Amino acid sequence: MADPAEHREEEEEAAAGGEDEDTGAQVAPIVKLEEVAVTTGEEDEEVLLDMKAKLYRFDKEGNQWKERGTGTVKLLRHKETAKVRLVMRQSKTLKICANHLVAATTKIQEHAGSDKSCVWHALDFADGELKEEMFAIRFGSVENCKKFKDTIEEIAEQQEKNEEKENEEVSSTAGLVLKLSVSEAKKEENAEKEEASAEDKKDAKE
């Protein structure tokens, strides 16, 4: 008669052997996740400035400053148009809390009573529509605030020069078109005179 203990050992060995056996079967995942390309809209722009800050907007109805968000403020220059925009996203949600062009008319100044803060007006598009906003931004240091202010002023000055150059080119092109138009008109006038003269000579011979 077989020993029950030996019989149990054989069953345990068989079970263990079954666990180690590789069946070669591959279990496919129930849900297949595909990679999705995420775009930020900043792919064609170069970063001129990137800093942490806290942004406020002035509420005209309540006549008070309201916090817009804490996060990263960037100054981005488009590689083709050379236009520069200010973009700020909230640090946790990445929600856009400021998005506007830095124009030649952009004027920035220190906030009264704080050398770590600046204020300026802008036509902002953060909420999906253009709105006139007054912003205030606060940095962790005086140095960062100064760097931000100086960079904005440099960009505004450069944009003004670019606009002047564009206006000069437009004026130059308009002047060239005018000269060509006058020249063409004179040619047509001379051609008409020559034609009339030729007809007069022909009539005189007859």
Side-chain angles (χ1 to χ4, degrees), residues 22-196:
D22 185 4
T23 61
Q26 294 183 348
V27 181
I30 297 172
V31 179
K32 186 178 180 182
L33 298 176
E34 296 182 359
E35 289 186 8
V36 178
V38 179
T39 58
T40 62
E42 301 173 11
E43 288 73 20
D44 296 326
E45 297 168 305
E46 61 174 315
V47 180
L48 302 179
L49 184 138
D50 186 341
M51 289 181 176
K52 292 185 182 297
K54 182 178 285 189
L55 185 71
Y56 300 84
R57 61 174 286 273
F58 190 74
D59 180 17
K60 294 178 183 177
E61 293 181 2
N63 196 32
Q64 61 181 336
W65 289 101
K66 287 191 174 181
E67 186 177 332
R68 187 79 169 171
T70 301
T72 302
V73 61
K74 293 182 180 180
L75 292 173
L76 305 168
R77 179 167 58 201
H78 198 278
K79 295 174 183 176
E80 292 183 7
T81 64
K83 291 187 180 297
V84 180
R85 67 180 178 128
L86 181 150
V87 178
M88 184 166 176
R89 297 176 185 270
Q90 293 179 1
S91 55
K92 293 181 180 179
T93 63
L94 297 182
K95 180 183 176 183
I96 293 176
C97 46
N99 180 19
H100 65 79
L101 289 173
V102 179
T105 54
T106 302
K107 304 295 181 187
I108 188 167
Q109 59 188 36
E110 284 187 6
H111 194 288
S114 175
D115 52 4
K116 293 181 183 179
S117 303
C118 296
V119 292
W120 73 97
H121 287 85
L123 276 174
D124 191 65
F125 196 70
D127 295 329
E129 61 177 345
L130 281 175
K131 288 194 300 184
E132 177 72 32
E133 296 278 16
M134 182 162 73
F135 289 117
I137 193 166
R138 182 176 176 82
F139 294 92
S141 68
V142 176
E143 291 76 20
N144 283 357
C145 183
K146 186 177 185 306
K147 184 176 181 181
F148 176 79
K149 181 175 177 290
D150 290 347
T151 305
I152 292 283
E153 288 175 341
E154 287 173 13
I155 293 168
E157 186 178 342
Q158 185 60 50
Q159 293 300 322
E160 186 175 6
K161 289 180 181 178
N162 291 345
E163 288 182 8
E164 288 176 357
K165 185 178 179 182
E166 288 174 6
N167 291 337
E168 286 177 3
E169 289 176 355
V170 169
S171 298
S172 177
T173 303
L176 182 60
V177 169
L178 182 62
K179 285 180 181 178
L180 289 172
S181 299
V182 171
S183 178
E184 289 295 325
K186 285 184 177 179
K187 283 182 180 179
E188 289 179 5
E189 186 181 343
N190 291 337
E192 288 175 358
K193 285 181 179 179
E194 288 177 3
E195 187 177 344

